[in-house]
Amino acid sequence: MSTGNATSTMSDRRSASRSPQRMLIPDVLRGVAILAMLIAHAGPFVPDMPKVLLFIQSTINDVASPLFALVMGISAQLVWNRRAGVARTLVQQSWRGVLLVALGIWMTTWGSWVMIVLQSLGLLLIFGVPLLLLGTRTLIIAAAAIALLSQPLLMLARGATWLYTQPLIVQELANGLAVGRSYRLINLLPFFLLGALLLRHGFRRDRLLWVMAAVAPVAFLGSMAVERFFKVAVQSGDYLDTLHDVGLVFAAYVVVVLVATAGGGAFQRMLGPVGAWGQVALSLYVLHVGVIALWARSNGFPQTNEPLGWLLIVPGMALLAWAWVRFVGTGPIEWLLGMITGRPRKWRVR
């Protein structure tokens, strides 16, 4: 990770971060993440699939939450770059995090089969944003230290069985921090910090990008090879599971940056719909969980393939999100959250 850049480059990035126009790459990365979640959460609608498709679906599911954490780190660093004041930024981001946690806890009561990620993402803002005040070298060390401590901390948390007898809000906070089956602050925080570091570095084709491109397949395939050949029982959040996620997130980031920085405007236009999904990712997330909850309450958990449900959640939601951005603008949940946290958004943003 580069820790120093030319003054002109830093000035250009700061100017871009203060521009009213949206940055393409973060939106596209967020769009990839929300599409991955749509595909993963629609999986129960088609339980009778070939093993190869189940493997692909599982892999897509694995990339969603760490990629969301990476983009949240990018977005949080962008907020710092706008220089709204340390105290004001900390209050706004923490308040946003609290609202995400509250929304996530509420959504767990809806009756869907979705494991809600918002609690962990909200905690990322509360605990992660203050860390972005650190210098780049110190932030690199902090991210590496958190990643190294993650598995020992998870082992301790897994032994706290008394948490399961606590009130719902205590259980959900504990899940979001460390004991959740799928999403935990401990594992997502390094990706959040990495996102901030990548924005500081800049989205460009350089040695760092090629290193990430080389690491991605090694991390992904290496984690599976160790698990298979050494018969390692990997639990969610363990080092091998994190290495697996690193490979997927690095691959997604490299591909998006390569396409977005390719010469000519055709590639940027090709990424437009994916960026649109990213612009309304939170609204899309809430909506699709609500639709799944309505389906589950009316029809129960699918026992056979229900293609209509899958089509509704994946291409249906993707098309709706694109149309909303194209003809309306800011997502309703994004707009409301901006108003509540003191960072109002215009309906139309270009």
Side-chain angles (χ1 to χ4, degrees), residues 124-148:
L124 274 181
L125 292 178
I126 296 170
F127 290 95
V129 167
L131 294 177
L132 302 189
L133 291 170
L134 298 173
T136 298
R137 287 187 177 90
T138 307
L139 194 60
I140 292 172
I141 295 171
I146 294 168
L148 289 173

Side-chain angles (χ1 to χ4, degrees), residues 104-154:
I105 293 175
W106 180 43
M107 290 174 66
T108 62
T109 68
W110 290 4
S112 75
W113 54 69
V114 176
M115 296 291 293
I116 305 300
V117 72
L118 295 185
Q119 301 92 309
S120 293
L121 297 185
L123 291 171
L124 274 181
L125 292 178
I126 296 170
F127 290 95
V129 167
L131 294 177
L132 302 189
L133 291 170
L134 298 173
T136 298
R137 287 187 177 90
T138 307
L139 194 60
I140 292 172
I141 295 171
I146 294 168
L148 289 173
L149 289 171
S150 60
Q151 184 164 320
L153 290 173
L154 283 178

